[in-house]
């Protein structure tokens, strides 16, 4: 027994040492105080940052995770809590619904809504937040409304926002209440940075609501609105008779909403499985995504389109197939052999269940597409005890490899890289899974929770699952502008006493990122500074 | 000139009044919903239990953001139809030819989806029914776990749909008031009401 104890102490010491040796020297980490909070409490979003620190929203959920309360928290530059105020959204004795908080030109703005049952109107309000008191500094100002006459208040539309690249314009986009069989309707209000309305437009499209989805929307520096729509041909089905049954369409509202230009984005015989749009500083629309030969659940390659903002014409198109070597990356030798056999027979071999997360515009005019494999498995286990059979359903949340596609300033697809990652957790909605991304100069940094056995993974053989345990390792993958990747350890979950929550971590300056982690009742912020 | 000064002095407070109302009266208009969003009381009737020979009226009071309590009283009609699952099983029915009576209900509710009294909730319902029969009185007690959804529509109307699972106990022994026959019960309710 004593022998085992000595051995295990020795081994764990060795383990710590080995991680200690490979810990990244490309970053410095400033840890905040460890906070003890309720297990039901978590970070919802980092909503702002300035020279005094960061501002974050924390939620504490009630029974069954519902009926949550919101707290606005200010953390100082040492990442320690400086002030926390519970948000009580009341105006004239009426409770308002929290929508979001956003930062614009160093000011924090609080958005709230009120569904007026008497008038059948859903109103959106904005008010500034005093950064010292963390309380609203002025009265709510109404900036948008949705009429839901004839509908239940539970179907009263939703408000969304988008900020232009230079933060000079704010788009409030809203869905009108769903009405099956009716034509798709939505509206947008475009504001300047002081929330003075510049123009407003309500649109009725010639497509039925159930056959049209808004996938993405953008506002340019000069106040033009771009909307990416997915249009189904007849039925809401992605595939009919082996052919795509949908198409993407970009709608451009310019000239204060007076002019509409439509850009259908279609490739004959190919399924465009994902698409995102962005507006570059020249006001061109950059549009990228993945395509498939066989359906909408798999991808075979990536594509890129550039629409000239002035002439409104497609100025550049590019497609690139991933190729069998890329597809078989990070596969076990058995999976690889199977895929290669299939490809040799002339069958389509594709990557499955990838979602396009982001399109990042680089300063040199190029762009980067980032996607991740994500799917959910349902596992039913049955157990018979004393003749009584019970069954239990578990949902396994899988967040796997990350794909990065690099587009040159000329619009060509330069390289495509896959970052190996396996995250598989059950019944937690992937709370500690996925990744956070920082763009520092011409490099991309991905941070995520990983299994320590993957630290020296070279792209071949078995990858081990991160399963949310305390022995996990928080890693950083650096991807340079040539597509070379290096994987390094940041810290272990054991030493920090937390697991990071990559989905809420955020880049706060060109060289800094805030990471947040929690485990049981321990909560902690850290600031990662990229030294390169 | 003097006149003008006097008029201006008179008008000055009025201007001030307009300035004040312009900002806050705008919000007063947007937030004026006739008190609907602050209403904490509901009066309801269970339309489905009429089928079973019970006509209860309920009063629901919101106690907090998630909790409310519902109390009810009803008159028992001169007929009786058992609830599920006794309606479809062949259990002997103790209540034959009732001549009226009364029912009492109480149900604390916990709303899990929205602010009470709206959307999905869980509740624990206790019900007592006193049936007057030709040859005496039968008292039934129910204790059921309830799940339901309450929707507010047409400004102040309420629709409460619920289903539950519990124990239904019947006492028909006048000499031994502690002797009960116990059955499984699945209470289903459709309640219509008014929010005020």
């Amino acid at each position: 027994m004593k022998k085992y104890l000595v051995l295990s102490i020795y081994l764990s010491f060795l383990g710590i040492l080995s991680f200690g040796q490979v810990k990244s020297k490309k970053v410095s980490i400033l840890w905040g105080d460890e906070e003890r909070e309720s297990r039901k409490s978590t970070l919802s979003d980092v909503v702002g940052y300035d020279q005094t620190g960061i501002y974050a929203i924390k939620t504490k959920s009630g029974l069954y995770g519902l009926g949550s309360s919101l707290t606005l928290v200010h953390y100082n530059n040492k990442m320690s809590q400086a002030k926390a105020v519970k948000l009580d959204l009341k105006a004239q004795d009426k409770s308002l619904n929290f929508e979001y908080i956003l930062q614009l030109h160093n000011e924090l703005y609080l958005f709230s809504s009120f569904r007026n049952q008497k008038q059948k109107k859903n109103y959106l309000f904005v008010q500034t937040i005093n950064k010292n008191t963390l309380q609203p500094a002025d009265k709510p100002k109404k900036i948008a409304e949705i009429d839901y006459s004839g509908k239940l208040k539970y179907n009263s539309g939703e408000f969304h926002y988008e900020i232009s690249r230079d933060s000079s314009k704010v788009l409030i986009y809203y869905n009108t209440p769903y009405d099956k069989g009716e034509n798709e309707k939505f509206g947008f209000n475009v504001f300047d940075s002081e929330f003075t309305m510049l123009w407003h437009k309500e649109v009725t499209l010639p497509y039925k609501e159930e056959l049209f989805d808004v996938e993405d929307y953008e506002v340019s520096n000069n106040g033009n609105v771009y909307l990416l729509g997915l249009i189904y041909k007849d039925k809401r089905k992605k595939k009919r008779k082996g052919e795509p049954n949908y198409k993407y369409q970009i709608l451009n509202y310019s000239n204060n909403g007076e002019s509409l230009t439509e850009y259908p984005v279609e490739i004959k015989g190919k399924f465009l499985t994902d698409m995102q749009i962005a507006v570059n500083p020249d006001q061109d629309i950059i549009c990228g995504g993945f395509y498939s030969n066989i359906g909408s659940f798999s991808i075979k390659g990536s594509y890129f389109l550039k629409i000239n903002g002035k002439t409104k014409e497609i100025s550049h198109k590019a497609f690139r197939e991933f190729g069998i070597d890329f597809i078989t990356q990070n596969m076990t030798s058995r999976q690889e052999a199977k895929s290669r056999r299939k490809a040799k027979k002339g069958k389509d071999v594709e990557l499955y269940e990838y979602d396009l997360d982001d399109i990042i515009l680089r300063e040199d005019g190029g762009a980067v597409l980032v996607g991740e494999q994500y799917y959910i498995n349902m596992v039913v286990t049955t157990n018979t005890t004393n003749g009584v059979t019970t069954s239990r359903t578990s949902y396994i949340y899988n967040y796997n490899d990350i794909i990065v596609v690099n587009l040159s300033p000329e619009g060509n697809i330069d390289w495509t890289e896959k970052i190996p990652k396996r995250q598989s957790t059950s019944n937690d909605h992937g709370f500690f899974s996925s990744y956070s991304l920082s763009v520092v100069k011409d490099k991309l940094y991905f941070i995520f929770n990983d299994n320590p056995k993957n630290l020296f993974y070279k792209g071949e053989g078995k990858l081990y699952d991160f399963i949310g345990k305390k022995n996990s390792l928080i890693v950083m993958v650096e991807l340079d502008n040539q597509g070379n990747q290096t994987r390094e350890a940041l810290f272990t979950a054991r030493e920090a006493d937390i697991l990071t929550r990559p989905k809420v971590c955020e880049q706060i300056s060109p060289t800094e990122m805030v990471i947040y982690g929690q485990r049981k009742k321990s909560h902690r912020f850290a600031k990662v500074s990229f030294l390169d | 000139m003097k006149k003008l000064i006097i008029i201006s002095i008179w008008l000055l407070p009025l201007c001030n009044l307009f300035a004040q109302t312009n900002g806050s009266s705008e919000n007063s208009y947007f937030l004026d919903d006739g008190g609907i969003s602050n209403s904490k009381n509901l009066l309801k009737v269970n339309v489905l239990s009429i089928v079973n020979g019970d006509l209860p009226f309920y009063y629901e009071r919101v106690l907090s953001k998630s909790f409310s309590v519902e109390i009810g009283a009803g008159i028992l009609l001169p007929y009786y139809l058992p609830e599920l699952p006794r309606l479809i099983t062949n259990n002997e029915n103790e209540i034959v030819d009732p001549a009226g009576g009364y029912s009492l209900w109480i149900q604390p509710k916990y709303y899990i989806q929205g602010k009470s009294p709206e959307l999905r909730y869980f509740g624990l319902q206790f019900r007592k029914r006193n049936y007057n029969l030709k040859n005496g009185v039968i008292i039934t007690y129910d204790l059921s776990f309830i799940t339901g959804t309450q929707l507010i529509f047409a400004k102040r109307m309420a629709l409460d749909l619920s289903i539950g699972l519990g124990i239904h106990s019947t006492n028909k022994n006048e000499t031994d008031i502690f002797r009960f026959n116990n059955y499984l019960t699945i209470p289903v309710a459709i309640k219509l009401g008014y929010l005020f």
Side-chain angles (χ1 to χ4, degrees), chain A residues 117-134:
Chain A
Q117 269 283 80
K118 189 176 144 194
Q119 298 167 18
K120 290 279 181 181
K121 292 263 176 81
N122 189 0
Y123 292 112
L124 180 73
F125 299 96
V126 67
Q127 54 200 130
T128 49
I129 288 179
N130 181 322
K131 284 185 170 179
N132 295 320
T133 62
L134 301 185

Side-chain angles (χ1 to χ4, degrees), chain A residues 333-357:
Chain A
S333 46
R334 207 169 158 183
Q335 288 169 329
E336 185 179 342
K338 198 178 163 189
S339 298
R340 285 189 186 278
R341 268 201 308 274
K342 211 173 155 188
K344 258 188 183 174
K345 285 180 189 167
K347 289 182 182 170
D348 275 313
V349 181
E350 302 197 343
L351 292 168
Y352 285 87
E353 307 280 10
Y354 274 83
D355 290 333
L356 178 63
D357 293 338

Side-chain angles (χ1 to χ4, degrees), chain A residues 63 66 116 119 140 153-154, chain B residues 27 29-30 32 112 118 152:
Chain A
L63 206 59
L66 297 157
N116 191 318
Q119 298 167 18
K153 72 173 190 175
Y154 317 107
Chain B
N27 273 353
Y29 172 76
F30 301 133
D32 176 19
I112 60 163
E118 282 182 75
I152 307 296

Side-chain angles (χ1 to χ4, degrees), chain A residues 504-523:
Chain A
V504 292
C505 299
E506 203 153 305
Q507 184 168 5
I508 58 164
S509 77
T511 57
E512 288 172 317
M513 174 183 219
V514 162
I515 58 174
Y516 175 80
Q518 67 183 94
R519 206 181 114 76
K520 293 180 180 169
K521 288 186 173 181
S522 291
H523 295 241

Side-chain angles (χ1 to χ4, degrees), chain A residues 277-334:
Chain A
I277 54 169
V279 183
N280 74 9
D282 298 332
Q283 307 308 299
D284 298 330
I285 312 164
I286 305 297
C287 165
F290 302 134
Y291 70 86
S292 165
N293 279 350
I294 53 177
S296 57
F297 296 107
S298 59
I299 54 173
K300 194 171 181 69
S302 52
Y303 65 89
F304 167 79
L305 294 175
K306 194 176 190 176
I307 298 164
N308 189 307
K310 287 185 190 109
T311 62
K312 310 209 185 303
E313 280 169 4
I314 295 175
S315 60
H316 197 88
K317 263 187 200 181
F319 302 90
R320 182 152 156 176
E321 208 172 291
F322 291 136
I324 191 70
D325 290 337
F326 180 78
I327 287 172
T328 56
Q329 253 182 45
N330 312 331
M331 281 184 177
T332 61
S333 46
R334 207 169 158 183

Side-chain angles (χ1 to χ4, degrees), chain A residues 457-471:
Chain A
Y457 185 75
K458 294 287 177 217
E460 281 175 16
K462 182 179 164 59
L463 262 172
Y464 293 87
D465 282 346
F466 157 76
I467 50 169
K469 291 276 165 70
K470 205 178 176 179
N471 67 349

